[in-house]
Amino acid sequence: DAGVTQSPTHLIKTRGQQVTLRCSPKSGHDTVSWYQQALGQGPQFIFQYYEEEERQRGNFPDRFSGHQFPNYSSELNVNALLLGDSALYLCASSRRGVDEQFFGPGTRLTVL
Amino acid sequence: RKEVEQDPGPFNVPEGATVAFNCTYSNSASQSFFWYRQDCRKEPKLLMSVYSSGNEDGRFTAQLNRASQYMSLLIRDSKLSDSATYLCVVNLSNDYKLSFGAGTTVTVRA
């Protein structure tokens, strides 16, 4: 039974560029949440997708956007990258109505 | 005040010792509580959900005090493999968002 998968593992971009990160949820899960984790901090909620709609959003600017596909996989897009966007981006999946979330290995983004 | 606060540690303990650490959260109406562990440069992994009456999972015991908005995790008979950062996690507003503390670092030495 595959867990949550994310790609790519690592990414290096320069300021102003755009990036797309991908996530496939655990089998049987239909909900995907994205988090940003800066060094030494806990993960911060970006948004959650369910039924291909953004269901809730955290305190992140509109430069952060996402999408969920009919097979429940999801993408996170970040436009106009800033140095401060350098972080570990984590995708978590869950089942509808269940709070417990299971995380993928993350994508480590470095913005130069 | 931060929404979820933890003592960052580090807690440095010998094998076989008992270690306990705490977490406070900002919303008394919160309903869902968890502890996750995170190894260096890895993803958080669910350790246990926390229930009102407190619960145990092997060597790990979680307690919740809703009146004081406080939860704790106790690890008995520490193993080297328990070395990790432990994240206190709360669904503060009973919506879809999990709020994480910054983590408590535990190092178990031989």
Side-chain angles (χ1 to χ4, degrees), chain A residues 57 65 69 73 112:
Chain A
R57 188 178 186 91
S65 63
F69 300 94
S73 67
L112 302 176

Side-chain angles (χ1 to χ4, degrees), chain B residues 7-8 18 24 26 31 36-38 45 48-50 65 67 69 77 100-101 103 108-110:
Chain B
D7 180 345
T18 295
T24 58
S26 59
Q31 296 290 325
Y36 280 72
R37 77 169 270 166
Q38 187 170 28
K45 293 193 173 172
M48 57 199 300
S49 301
V50 184
N65 183 324
Q69 295 169 223
D77 188 23
F100 286 73
V108 182
R109 63 183 189 274

Side-chain angles (χ1 to χ4, degrees), chain B residues 65-86:
Chain B
N65 183 324
R66 287 182 186 274
S68 302
Q69 295 169 223
Y70 161 106
M71 52 195 264
S72 65
L73 182 67
L74 182 145
I75 307 173
R76 283 189 306 278
D77 188 23
S78 299
K79 311 288 185 198
L80 295 176
S81 58
D82 294 334
S83 297
T85 296
Y86 291 85

Side-chain angles (χ1 to χ4, degrees), chain A residues 31-103:
Chain A
T31 302
V32 172
S33 303
W34 286 93
Y35 293 82
Q36 179 195 67
Q37 187 175 23
L39 205 59
Q41 301 297 317
Q44 298 293 313
F45 177 78
I46 303 174
F47 40 53
Q48 185 181 89
Y49 276 83
Y50 172 70
E51 291 190 338
E52 302 178 52
E53 301 266 338
E54 182 185 289
R55 183 152 76 167
Q56 187 175 354
R57 188 178 186 91
N59 294 327
F60 280 80
D62 291 345
R63 298 187 297 110
F64 289 77
S65 63
H67 191 77
Q68 186 179 34
F69 300 94
N71 67 352
Y72 310 120
S73 67
S74 177
E75 287 182 350
L76 164 65
N77 300 293
V78 188
N79 293 325
L81 284 167
L82 304 174
L83 295 179
D85 295 332
S86 295
L88 179 66
Y89 287 84
L90 293 159
C91 167
S93 75
S94 54
R95 279 186 294 181
R96 177 189 173 193
V98 178
D99 270 345
E100 292 171 349
Q101 296 183 10
F102 295 85
F103 285 83

Side-chain angles (χ1 to χ4, degrees), chain B residues 5 9 12-14 20-22 31-32 35 46 51 56 59 61-63 71 75 79 84 101:
Chain B
E5 286 202 77
N12 192 323
V13 300
F21 40 89
N22 310 319
Q31 296 290 325
S32 300
W35 285 102
L46 179 64
Y51 304 114
E56 250 183 52
R59 298 179 292 106
T61 301
Q63 295 285 344
M71 52 195 264
I75 307 173
K79 311 288 185 198

